[in-house]
Amino acid sequence: MTFPAVLWSAPTINPINRKARSIPVLNPYNKYGRVFFFSWWGFFIAFWSWYAFPPLLVRTIRTDLKLTQTDVANSNIAALCGTLVVRFIAGPMCDRFGPRWTYIVILLAGSIPTALAGAVYNVSGLIALRFFVGILGGTFVPCQVWSTGFFDKNVVGTSNALIGGWGNSGGGITYFLMPLIFDSLREDRGLTAHVAWRVAFIVPFILIVSTALGMIFLCPDTPTGKWADRHEATRALLEAHLPPGQSGHALTEKADSSHASSERGDYLNENGEKKREEHLPATVDVGRGSIEVVAAHEAPMTQQDMLNTAKGEVVVAPSFKEAMHVIFSLQTLFHSATYICSFGGELAINSYIASYFLKNFPYLGQTGAGRWGSMFGLLNVVTRPLGGVVSDLLYTQVSKNLWLKKGWITFVGVISGAFLIAIGLTNPHNEATMFGLIAGMAFFLEAGNGANFALVPHVHPHANGIVSGTVGAMGNTGGVIFAILFRFHGTNYGESFWIMGVMIMALNVSVCWIKPLPKGQIGGR
């Protein structure tokens, strides 16, 4: 399938887990395109509301609530802490209950404090509210796990990066939209500043609830149907696609060469197209429904690949022992450390970028500084997806060697650290220099997010929720660490930037030796 037709055509699918091997970005009628849309849109709306306070904290809310610089910093830290807690919980929830319902629950839970923003009248109320609005940041985990469940290894890096990047851009658009909504309410509707900023939060509340309802009524749990039936569906599809006599204990015995075929399976013709054998039923019963045994546009697979997919890449409900094994593995450590740097750095910078611009260029005003600050978040539309696209290209076009994906993560991490050091040490007061360095830093920092979650689906694929939740939560931990750094350096933003750059470079280099996959892992390759 050629570009651009791939953007709207029904994708080729994996015959065993029914994951798509292309992304129908422009086809919401196709279930893969629909899940792709709601995955990024839900995260976009959540990120917008999560970061709706900083653009108005620059001046309006700060003045209205009589906040100090320390008060603002503490509220930023509270917002990150709320997300950190939810992300740790969301990972195991995705593995047990499925990412779709986890996503819906987090959105609806986060919509409540969003609607209550108008009830804040003092600093303690602001800190408490921002902690609970931080629930919305936890949507990152189910959006990535849901994407991983619908898109196969050849495109999952691109899918995760597009969803994460377009979703992250909500952190940029909020710097543009919240001041715009505030100004409209104040100037066009005649509301006072005291009332206008409170009413502005009703807009993201309505969008969050609408998005959650769309997920409930328009989207499936998995490509094969209900989350509870995923194992039964995989077993049925595997038994239907393997030659007679080879499927018996495929899911309970370790796959080895005795179960494998070096050539295409008996049910693929010479062109790699699926043949409908006479003995195969059209459908098999799965749970309360049924699923087609042979679907349109199936991808060719060797029997060994089918076995490995069925045995190692279907998410299982985690036991405590297995969860601990996954969380404390070296591979999870690598992704946690690098995501602390990329996403943690992004979160902290998102909270202070407009204030930094206003300090160095006071003539911009709150709205102007907010609009320039939105650049940092909006670049996610391109930069984070590019991190995932490059990672997938290295994997599919150069060599199916996961060291290339891993090396790309380290490379962009080190370069982003160098940019941060340059910004901090020069502390530019020239607009072209400042905005150019920020854009360069954003390119590599945000590409690191996409690169990271292009490799995550390969690691412990049977526990993808736990891995995604742990890594996502550690990204928030990084945000808290860097936010504390900004807090104790006050308005000396340049110093905070270069110290952060040194930390990011050191942490990326310190974990670069870890192997991409655990020894003996089945699936994920």
Side-chain angles (χ1 to χ4, degrees), residues 24 64 71-72 92 98 105 132 231 237 239 325 332 334 347 349-350 373 381-382 403 405-406 431 491 494:
D64 188 42
D71 293 334
V72 173
V105 167
F132 287 106
H231 293 292
L237 290 169
E239 291 180 350
H325 170 72
T332 304
F334 168 79
L347 290 178
I349 292 168
N350 250 333
V381 173
V382 176
W403 276 102
K405 281 194 169 189
K406 184 176 171 296
E431 285 188 24
T491 58

Side-chain angles (χ1 to χ4, degrees), residues 11-245:
T12 301
I13 63 172
N14 183 310
I16 302 303
N17 56 25
R18 294 293 163 87
K19 292 183 181 183
R21 295 201 167 182
S22 61
I23 309 169
V25 175
L26 304 179
N27 187 354
Y29 295 102
N30 181 276
K31 67 181 177 183
Y32 298 97
R34 199 158 57 249
V35 167
F36 176 83
F37 168 76
F38 275 100
S39 292
W40 78 260
W41 176 254
F43 187 42
F44 173 87
I45 294 301
F47 214 113
W48 170 6
S49 182
W50 183 24
Y51 269 82
F53 277 96
L56 299 180
L57 274 169
V58 172
R59 182 165 294 165
T60 301
I61 298 176
R62 185 190 297 241
T63 301
D64 188 42
L65 300 183
K66 298 178 175 59
L67 304 176
T68 66
Q69 178 67 22
T70 300
D71 293 334
V72 173
N74 288 338
S75 77
N76 288 334
I77 293 169
L80 296 174
C81 288
T83 302
L84 189 157
V85 173
V86 174
R87 288 191 176 189
F88 269 121
I89 297 170
M93 281 183 64
C94 285
D95 287 345
R96 186 167 296 278
F97 303 110
R100 181 173 74 103
W101 280 107
T102 301
Y103 209 156
I104 292 165
V105 167
I106 294 174
L107 282 173
L108 293 177
S111 70
I112 297 170
T114 299
L116 294 174
V120 172
Y121 287 93
N122 53 49
V123 63
S124 59
L126 177 67
I127 290 172
L129 187 90
R130 291 201 67 191
F131 177 87
F132 287 106
V133 170
I135 290 170
L136 291 167
T139 54
F140 172 75
V141 176
C143 92
Q144 296 291 284
V145 178
W146 205 16
S147 167
T148 299
F150 272 79
F151 297 97
D152 216 359
K153 292 188 293 292
N154 66 311
V155 295
V156 71
T158 301
S159 172
N160 283 355
L162 284 168
I163 289 167
W166 293 357
N168 270 21
S169 68
I173 203 72
T174 192
Y175 271 97
F176 177 77
L177 287 178
M178 292 307 290
L180 192 66
I181 295 169
F182 168 77
D183 290 341
S184 175
L185 290 169
R186 189 167 54 86
E187 297 170 6
D188 300 336
R189 300 295 177 180
L191 301 181
T192 64
H194 174 77
V195 175
W197 77 259
R198 291 173 164 82
V199 176
F201 281 84
I202 297 300
V203 177
F205 164 74
I206 293 171
L207 291 172
I208 291 167
V209 174
S210 301
T211 300
L213 291 174
M215 290 180 181
I216 291 173
F217 294 111
L218 300 176
C219 298
D221 289 337
T222 73
T224 57
K226 293 183 179 297
W227 181 257
D229 299 333
R230 66 194 185 282
H231 293 292
E232 189 177 347
T234 300
R235 184 184 296 276
L237 290 169
L238 180 66
E239 291 180 350
H241 283 81
L242 285 180

Side-chain angles (χ1 to χ4, degrees), residues 337-347 444-446 448-449 452 504:
T338 51
Y339 207 58
I340 281 173
C341 298
S342 59
F343 193 63
E346 180 184 346
L347 290 178
F444 290 99
L445 190 75
E446 295 164 2
N449 295 329
N452 209 310
I504 286 174

Side-chain angles (χ1 to χ4, degrees), residues 353-392:
I353 190 74
S355 298
Y356 191 12
F357 288 163
L358 189 62
K359 180 192 175 187
N360 282 23
F361 313 108
Y363 52 85
L364 291 175
Q366 174 178 268
T367 301
R371 287 175 178 172
W372 276 108
S374 71
M375 171 189 70
F376 179 72
L378 287 173
L379 281 170
N380 268 296
V381 173
V382 176
T383 53
R384 182 162 185 157
L386 190 61
V389 169
V390 171
S391 185
D392 278 350

